[in-house]
Amino acid sequence: MVASAAQLAQGRVPLEQRDFCGHHLLRLLRCHRDNFPVPWGCHGLRHQWDSCQHEDYVMRMKEFERERRLKQRQQRLQRRHGDSE
């Protein structure tokens, strides 16, 4: 993580959003606060945060799929090894 827990707490980031993209969210929330009546002024920061969230999701899904396939492979090898004995 780029932002520390203290920085996220000081920026009043909700607990469920304190993840690897928290530093992008901090900048986005600060921009929203500084440009209050004009929310479209922070479009670039919103895009960065959304992209980070998407990349994080894709990486977690790839890791999950990798673990699932390794587990299936291990079970196949155990069955094959158990059948030959």
Side-chain angles (χ1 to χ4, degrees):
M1 286 184 60
V2 178
S4 68
Q7 289 172 327
L8 294 173
Q10 184 181 11
R12 293 188 219 117
V13 175
L15 288 175
E16 61 271 4
Q17 292 182 329
R18 294 183 187 185
D19 54 6
F20 291 107
C21 300
H23 59 288
H24 291 295
L25 185 58
L26 270 176
R27 281 189 248 143
L28 178 63
L29 292 174
R30 187 178 306 124
C31 179
H32 279 293
R33 187 184 64 235
D34 294 344
N35 302 317
F36 173 63
V38 187
W40 55 84
C42 306
H43 179 72
L45 294 173
R46 174 66 185 226
H47 179 71
Q48 287 177 356
W49 180 63
D50 285 340
S51 295
C52 182
Q53 289 288 95
H54 177 72
E55 289 172 16
D56 183 49
Y57 174 78
V58 168
M59 290 304 296
R60 284 187 287 121
M61 290 301 110
K62 285 181 179 180
E63 183 65 24
F64 173 80
E65 183 65 21
R66 180 181 164 278
E67 292 291 328
R68 187 181 71 82
R69 289 182 184 198
L70 284 173
K71 185 178 178 182
Q72 287 177 345
R73 180 176 182 266
Q74 186 179 26
Q75 289 172 349
R76 265 194 326 267
L77 289 174
Q78 286 176 350
R79 277 191 305 234
R80 208 176 290 158
H81 185 67
D83 291 342
S84 65
E85 290 183 277

